[in-house]
Amino acid sequence: MSDGDAKKGASLFKTRCAQCHTLEKAVHTKSAPTSSGASSLFGRKTGQAEGFSYTSANVNKGITWDETTLFEYLENPKKYIPGTKMAFAGLKKEKDRQNIIAYLKEETAP
């Protein structure tokens, strides 16, 4: 997978993800789990962020989030995890997915 542009990813995150997701540590005040802090997205299994209520589809998917799994998921979340409650239709452009992942890696690095 080629490297994305974190700056472009930040803009995409703001317009496409921030309505539901936050990068604040351990904050679940929106309709989706945080992607930072103690429950960082990368290296976490699906449906495992503490304090968030997931569908059984997410809990039972059993994959670990990394660049590859997130890249596949972001293209079409409902196809990747049938039964997810995530309403997001996905990012069809490969470069958009690469940019979001670059931004998330940068923002959630320990």
Side-chain angles (χ1 to χ4, degrees):
M1 180 180 326
S2 66
D3 291 328
D5 182 323
K7 186 174 180 179
K8 289 179 181 178
S11 178
L12 279 168
F13 185 88
K14 183 177 179 182
T15 60
R16 304 294 301 272
C17 309
Q19 298 89 336
C20 299
H21 293 274
T22 180
L23 295 179
E24 294 177 42
K25 294 182 179 187
V27 174
H28 298 296
T29 58
K30 296 192 175 192
S31 61
T34 183
S35 298
S36 186
S39 57
S40 179
L41 174 65
F42 294 101
R44 184 176 74 209
K45 288 201 176 289
T46 54
Q48 302 300 315
E50 189 175 325
F52 188 76
S53 176
Y54 289 93
T55 63
S56 59
N58 269 289
V59 173
N60 296 329
K61 181 68 176 181
I63 58 104
T64 300
W65 292 120
D66 60 23
E67 290 178 52
T68 302
T69 55
L70 190 56
F71 184 82
E72 293 171 11
Y73 176 75
L74 288 173
E75 182 176 15
N76 187 338
K78 289 189 180 290
K79 182 177 178 184
Y80 192 77
I81 303 180
T84 184
K85 62 183 170 183
M86 186 162 161
F88 182 61
L91 296 168
K92 303 307 176 209
K93 295 179 183 175
E94 287 186 21
K95 199 62 179 167
D96 286 349
R97 296 193 310 274
Q98 291 167 344
N99 292 341
I100 288 266
I101 291 168
Y103 172 68
L104 290 172
K105 283 176 53 181
E106 184 176 282
E107 290 298 309
T108 62

